Amino acid sequence: MAQAADAARTVILTVDDDPGVSRAIARDLRRRYGAEYRIVRAESGDSAMEALRELKLRGDLVAVILADYRMPQMNGIEFLEQALQVYPGARRVLLTAYADTNAAIDAINVVDLDHYLLKPWDPPEEKLYPVLDDLLTAWRTSDYRPVPATKVVGHRWSARSSDVREFLARNQVPYRWYSSDEPEGQRLLEAAGADGQRLPLVITPEGTALIEPEAPELAAHVGLATTPTAEFYDLVVIGGGPAGLGSAVYGASEGLRTVLVERSATGGQAGQSSRIENYLGFPDGVSGAQLTDRARRQAGRFGAEILTAREVTGLEVNGAARVVHFSDGSAIAAHSVILATGVSYRQLHAPGCDQLTGCGVYYGSSLTEATSCQGQDVYIVGGANSAGQAAMYLARGAKSVTLLVRGESLAASMSYYLIQQIQEMPNITVRTRTVVEAAHGDGHLEQLTLRDVDSGATELVDAQWMFVFIGAAPLTDWLDGTVLRDQHGFILAGPDLTPDGRPPAEWELDRPPYHLETNIPGVFVAGDARAQSAKRVASAVGEGAMAVMLVHRYLEQS
């Protein structure tokens, strides 16, 4: 009954100033979707906005908005930009003539357009319905509902509560947060029979209460896939960052039975970025979460399986099979493997930091904590792009943001465009040749001791928030004794396997290793985990695609 009620109040809205076109598209939409969705049509941008506001007041849901580009007074892009403020979760489609495709492409960045359709769309079975089917599927799995059903009860200064919230946010699982100190949080604890000593408490949409859930348990209860559907694949991709997602998209789209295994959340470090402004095709920038969500949906559309909260602990060669072992003792096998494990931020080894991690000290951009920094003083440790992007994002609401940089300047490690933006932001201060000597606080961060590298002088400052970006360490320890790595743990491949560029002694094939191939034939590496990689999103995606091409070459010769 609940699903039926939702369907009755879910709308597909179309707006076109040509009455004949407006009636035609509404007719086609009702023929396919009228049984499950209410079709609302308007003949101007103003009347469509009025309809959206009325729907909002009644609490109705809007799944998809289709707008014609050429409308008087308010064109389709202008209308969609206003509609975005009322229904940000609705999928947006622009109807356009062939001559206006440049405007449609621009709209992808202006209003985060999901698709543009050329008129006429006949036959709708080929040109309209497949597009709408995909958009409706994506909408149903997004956080479109005004009140998310999953509830999290925890303490503000709790590392475990922070971990759970971050896991849900990065995996695009909508949830509502309740402090254990507030009345509603207390009511939820009582209803679940929890004493409040063990937090967080997660209540799933089905009403299941999970106390201090680990990632695999949490993933399984909130609808994330954790179990493979087969025992053998053509390709196993380990790691869900840009390189892994690129591999999954190209592997699945080219006919390989592909499974991607991610230990935490897809997107990697890039998925935590508030704004990526130098990625090809997005002149106005794109958030890491948006880019990750699109890539994940794209991989799924081509048939790739994506497993979340599965930790890989070993890689074994068993004849022609490459066996991937999981921490729970299970395993899957494949003809080929792509290692796209990425990197993690290095830990700040200063007294007090370990105890306060998750309680004011965070590594990377904590998506869930940014809103709590409003009007407060924030410290960011690091001088590379990730630190700069976080500084720009947090500076929008924070009272002040201070970048602590060990080096002489930002120029050695940060892109020029970011340096320029930081210089123009009045509430960002850059302190070079400065490091964190210690972190202090009772249960949460309260103060930092800063030290000048040159003079040795120290200073005690008040601080509740510190985000750390101090370099990256590869997540490859589990490959020790199997795959060759350099002294820093980065994976060697192709000509980098030996100093003279020749195949390693244990290499058994007549041919030399391919460019991204490790010392194990059929096992490739892509992205930041590879030695000498570029550490950029674009290069990681490119290497993911290239690795799939080499997988095909390997399979053809096996």
Side-chain angles (χ1 to χ4, degrees), residues 335-349:
H335 291 300
S336 58
V337 173
I338 294 177
L339 303 171
T341 52
V343 295
S344 63
Y345 289 110
R346 296 187 187 279
Q347 302 295 294
L348 182 60
H349 297 298

Side-chain angles (χ1 to χ4, degrees), residues 115-323:
H115 203 92
Y116 67 88
L117 283 173
L118 294 178
K119 297 191 295 185
W121 57 86
D122 289 324
E125 290 78 7
E126 295 181 11
K127 297 184 178 180
L128 176 64
Y129 297 153
V131 172
L132 267 292
D133 287 344
D134 285 346
L135 293 178
L136 288 168
T137 298
W139 178 80
R140 283 193 294 266
T141 59
S142 68
D143 56 347
Y144 66 89
R145 296 181 184 277
V147 181
T150 300
K151 302 176 180 65
V152 181
V153 182
H155 191 275
R156 178 188 181 189
W157 300 114
S158 161
R160 189 72 193 104
S161 296
S162 178
D163 289 343
V164 165
R165 295 172 66 193
E166 192 77 1
F167 178 85
L168 294 173
R170 293 189 59 197
N171 281 292
Q172 306 290 314
V173 177
Y175 71 93
R176 171 163 284 189
W177 164 257
Y178 300 91
S179 172
S180 58
D181 298 329
E182 63 184 42
E184 183 62 21
Q186 292 288 337
R187 285 191 287 269
L188 290 171
L189 287 170
E190 183 178 354
D195 58 12
Q197 298 301 310
R198 297 173 59 205
L199 294 173
L201 164 70
V202 177
I203 302 174
T204 70
E206 295 76 24
T208 302
L210 308 174
I211 298 176
E212 294 184 316
E214 295 296 330
E217 180 188 15
L218 183 57
H221 278 86
V222 296
L224 299 174
T226 59
T227 305
T229 61
E231 295 180 354
F232 199 92
Y233 294 83
D234 294 318
L235 172 63
V236 175
V237 180
I238 303 174
L245 287 168
S247 297
V249 167
Y250 281 92
S253 68
E254 294 176 13
L256 298 177
R257 185 165 191 183
T258 302
V259 60
L260 182 151
V261 182
E262 167 56 46
R263 69 189 184 101
S264 178
T266 51
Q269 287 186 324
Q272 295 178 278
S273 175
S274 56
R275 204 73 179 164
I276 302 170
E277 298 193 62
N278 58 352
Y279 187 64
L280 185 67
F282 292 88
D284 295 320
V286 60
S287 74
Q290 286 176 313
L291 192 63
T292 298
D293 179 56
R294 291 182 177 187
R296 182 173 50 219
R297 287 193 283 120
Q298 191 175 19
R301 181 182 177 187
F302 284 124
E305 288 183 41
I306 298 179
L307 307 181
T308 307
R310 293 304 298 266
E311 184 176 2
V312 177
T313 57
L315 177 63
E316 177 189 359
V317 177
N318 187 0
R322 306 294 179 255
V323 183

Side-chain angles (χ1 to χ4, degrees), residues 529-544:
R530 183 178 66 84
Q532 307 301 318
S533 63
K535 308 297 187 292
R536 288 291 185 270
V537 175
S539 61
V541 173
E543 286 190 9

